[in-house]
Amino acid sequence: MQGRLFRVSPALGGGTIVAKVTPYPDLPQRVRRRYILYSETAGTVPLGYSAYVSGEGASQPWRRISGTSLSEGDVVRIAGTMGEVLYRRGSDHNTLLVTERCNCSCEMCVQPPRTSDDRTLLADLHRAITLFAKDTTVLGISGGEPTLLRGELVRLLRWLRSYLPATRLHLLSNARLFRYRRFAADVGKATDNMLTVGVPLNSDVPRLHDEIAGSQHAFDETVRGVLNLHRHGIAVEIRVVLTRSIVARIEGIAGFIRRNLPFACHVAFMGMETVGNAAANVDRLWVDPADFVDRLESAVGILRVAGIPTSIYNLQLCLLPRSLWRVARRSISDWKVEYLPVCLGCAQRHACCGFFGTDGMRASRAIAQITE
Amino acid sequence: MEYEVADEAVDFMFQGPSQTLKVEFQGGEPLLNFSLVQHITEACEERAAAEGKRVEFVVCTNLSEFTPSIGAYCRSHNIAISTSLDGPPDLHNAHRCNSHALVVAKIDLAREWVGADRVSALMTPTSLSLGRVRDIIDEYVARGFSSIFLRPLNPYGYATLAQGLSMSVDEWLDCYREGLDYILWLNRRGIRFREEFAAILLRRILTNVPAGFVDLQSPSGAGTAVLVYFGDSVYLSDESRMLAAMGDDRFRLAVLGRETFAEAMRSPTFVELLLSTMTEGVPMCHECAFQPYCGADPVGHYREQKDVVGHKAFSEFCKRHMGVFVQLFELLETPASKILTGWI
C-alpha cells in the first residue's frame, strides 16, 4: 500500500514539524498549529497550519509530496525535505521507533544498529502520541533496543498509557536489561498489564544464541530478563526467527520454552525478512521453508501440548501443511505486503500473509497456487 | 478538616448501602493539605477492601501545587483530577488572577502522571464569557481535551457577591445552543469532541444506564446520590454547603458523631424532602413530556423561591432543562443525531 517515508519540496522556514493530517482548510485558528493541511490541489492558503502539503507542485507555502499519500488522522513528522508517517490512522501495524542503538548485533537483524539522536526522537514522539486516535487498539515500540533508553523508556511508556489508555502496547526487546529487577518493576508499574514484550530467542543452547546475537552473555541476560518481566506481571512473547542455524534446533527451542518459559503468552515462529543484516548474510542464513516444515510442525505440536498459544508469521499457506494453517497469521504489515504473479488465482490469497514487498524476499521452491 | 473528623466522615459514608462510592476532595485547595487526602484515600481503600465495595476518588484542584510525586500517588491510587479552565488566556486570567499559563502547563504534567482521560477541566461561565463560547471550546480543543461541560454558573459565594458577573438563563441557553452547534461542526471536521451535559442527557434519554447525575434524579439526588462533608457537618449537596456558608444551614443532614447514617436518612425533614421532590407527582413536572429524563433541584428552588418544590413557571432549573431538552430532541431528528449518539 503505502510506505512510511516520503519527501516534500523545501519549505521557506526551517524546523521539525510533528502534526496531524487534516483535509479541512477551515479548522479553528487556535487549533490549526496541531495540523498539517493536506490537499490534492494546492489552492488558497488559510493561515495558521503548521504545514501545507499537496500532491501537486505549487507555490509556497504549499509543498509537493512524493513517496506516499496521506490520510486524515495520520500523524507525520517533517524535517527539512524528509517526511515520515509516525502513525497511520486505522492501522494495527503502527510502530514507534524509539532508538537505533542496540546492545546486540544479530546476524538476521532487519534494522542494523546505528547511532541516533534519541533525545530529539523522543521529544517528537511524545508530541506525536498526544495526536494519535484514542481508539487505537495496539501500538508497537521498537528499535534498535528500546531498553537502552532506560528511564526515558519508562517515561515514554507512562506517557503512552496516559494518552492512550485503551491501547495495548507491544515492545520489541532482547530483554537483556530487564535482568535489573528495578527496571523491570518500573516498566511494570508504568504499564498496568497493558504491555507485552516480544523477545527473540535464537537457541536453547547459550553459546549458539550468543553467536547469532553477536554478543557474549546475551542468552543468560535475556533469560534472566524474561523471568524478571514475568515476575513483575509483564506478558512475554517469545519470537523465533527461522534462519538456517536457528531452524536446526527448532524442536529444542520449543522444548526449552515449554520447560523454562511456560508462562509465555505467545510464541511466534517468524519467516525471515531479508533486509538489513539478513540481506547481507542471506546466502548463509536462508533456508527453504520446504526443508523444515515437518520440524516446524513438531515444534508447534510441543507448544500446543504445553498450552502455549503459537503463531507462524511470514510463511505462505502453500508451504504449510493444512494442520498448521490455523496458526499461520497474516503478519506482514499492510504497507509492505505484496503477492507474486502465481498468487493471482490462488483460492487462499485472502488468508495468506503474502510476501515482504521491501526486499528481494526469497520464494520457496514449493510456492504454488492453492485451488480450494 | 481534622483527621478525627475525617475518620468519622469515612465511617459515615461506609454506613450507606452503596456498593460503589465516589469520594471527591474539595477545598479551598486540597493539594495544600495533601496528607489529609492521602489519609482519607487509604482509610477508604482499607474499608472498601474489607467490605467488598468499590471506591473512586477525584481531587478538585487548581493544580498550582501539583508535583510529579503527587501525580505518582494519584496514579497508584487511581485518583482522578478535576481542574478549572475557563477559556483562552484573557478570559481565564480575568476570572482567576492570571493563572492561565500555570494551569495549562500543570494540566500537561498531570496528564503525564495521572492519565489524559483522568484529568478533566470545568469551565465557569460569567457575563464575561458571553459571546465567547466558541473561543472557550477552541481553547479546550487546542489543549487536547476531548470534551467540555458547558455548565451554568452557580449563584453562590463570590459569584453572587461579584454582581454583574451573572448570566441569565436565556443568555446561557443561547450560549449553549451556539456551543453545541459549534461542537457538532467540529465533529464534521474530523475533530472528535463531546459536550458532556448533552452526553449525560442523551444517556438518560436513549439508554437504560443510570445517568448518575445529581440534578437528574427523582426524588432529589441531593442527599441520595451525593453527600457533602464540611467541618463536622454532612450536607445534602455542594449548594447546601455554600448556602450554609452564607448563613442558612437548612440542608444540613447530620452532624458527624451525633447521628448515624441510618438516623440521618430517616430524619423526618429529609424524608419530607424526598417525598416532595418526586417529579412524577410535582405540579407541572407530572404533566411534562421531559419528566422521565429530568430531576429535582430542592436546594436551588429553595434558594430561588424559599420552597423546595418551587413553582416551575418561575424556576430557572426548569427553564434551563426544558431549553436543553427541546434543543436535543430537535437535533435527534437531524443528521447530527449520528454524532450525538456517538457521545453515549
Side-chain angles (χ1 to χ4, degrees), chain A residues 186-250:
Chain A
D186 287 348
V187 165
K189 218 166 139 188
T191 50
D192 326 291
N193 297 321
M194 288 294 270
L195 176 68
T196 302
V197 181
V199 182
L201 188 68
N202 304 331
S203 183
D204 56 329
V205 177
R207 189 173 54 81
L208 297 177
H209 176 98
D210 292 359
E211 274 173 23
I212 293 164
S215 175
Q216 277 201 332
H217 311 301
F219 180 87
D220 183 50
E221 291 171 6
T222 291
V223 172
R224 280 159 57 199
V226 167
L227 294 173
N228 269 342
L229 287 171
H230 177 57
R231 179 174 286 133
H232 292 287
I234 300 164
V236 181
E237 170 195 60
I238 302 294
R239 307 189 136 212
V240 182
V241 182
L242 300 169
T243 66
R244 182 183 296 273
S245 53
I246 294 175
V247 158
R249 294 200 57 85
I250 190 87

Side-chain angles (χ1 to χ4, degrees), chain A residues 20 22-31 33-35 72 89 126 134-135 155 157-159 161-165 189-192, chain B residues 75-76 87-89 100 107-108 110-117 135 138-139 141-144 146 182 185-186 188-192:
Chain A
K20 181 143 86 173
T22 182
Y24 299 108
D26 54 355
L27 294 186
Q29 268 304 334
R30 285 180 58 77
V31 309
R33 63 185 177 77
R34 295 160 68 92
Y35 291 91
E72 181 181 356
R89 176 91 173 92
H126 279 93
K134 303 284 175 228
D135 58 4
R155 174 157 186 259
L157 290 167
R158 194 167 54 230
W159 188 273
R161 290 288 304 131
S162 291
Y163 282 91
L164 301 167
K189 218 166 139 188
T191 50
D192 326 291
Chain B
R75 188 185 192 93
S76 59
H100 183 272
I107 283 170
D108 280 338
R111 282 175 173 153
E112 176 178 353
W113 282 95
V114 187
D117 63 328
D135 289 346
D138 284 352
E139 174 72 12
V141 177
R143 299 291 163 202
S146 54
Y182 184 57
W185 181 85
L186 287 175
R188 291 185 208 105
R189 287 286 172 284
I191 297 175
R192 288 203 191 179

Side-chain angles (χ1 to χ4, degrees), chain B residues 298-314:
Chain B
V299 185
H301 284 115
Y302 176 78
R303 174 191 35 84
E304 189 181 71
Q305 306 181 20
K306 289 281 167 282
D307 171 21
V308 294
V309 177
H311 195 308
K312 303 305 172 194
F314 310 107

Side-chain angles (χ1 to χ4, degrees), chain A residues 130 159 162-163, chain B residues 61-67 71 81-87 92 99-123 139-140 142-146:
Chain A
T130 64
W159 188 273
S162 291
Y163 282 91
Chain B
T61 166
N62 63 31
L63 287 177
S64 57
E65 299 293 321
F66 186 89
T67 59
I81 302 285
S82 173
T83 191
S84 294
L85 181 63
D86 288 346
H92 184 93
S99 59
H100 183 272
L102 180 64
V103 78
V104 297
K106 292 285 188 163
I107 283 170
D108 280 338
L109 185 65
R111 282 175 173 153
E112 176 178 353
W113 282 95
V114 187
D117 63 328
R118 308 275 299 155
V119 178
S120 58
L122 278 175
M123 64 99 181
E139 174 72 12
Y140 272 66
R143 299 291 163 202
F145 285 102
S146 54

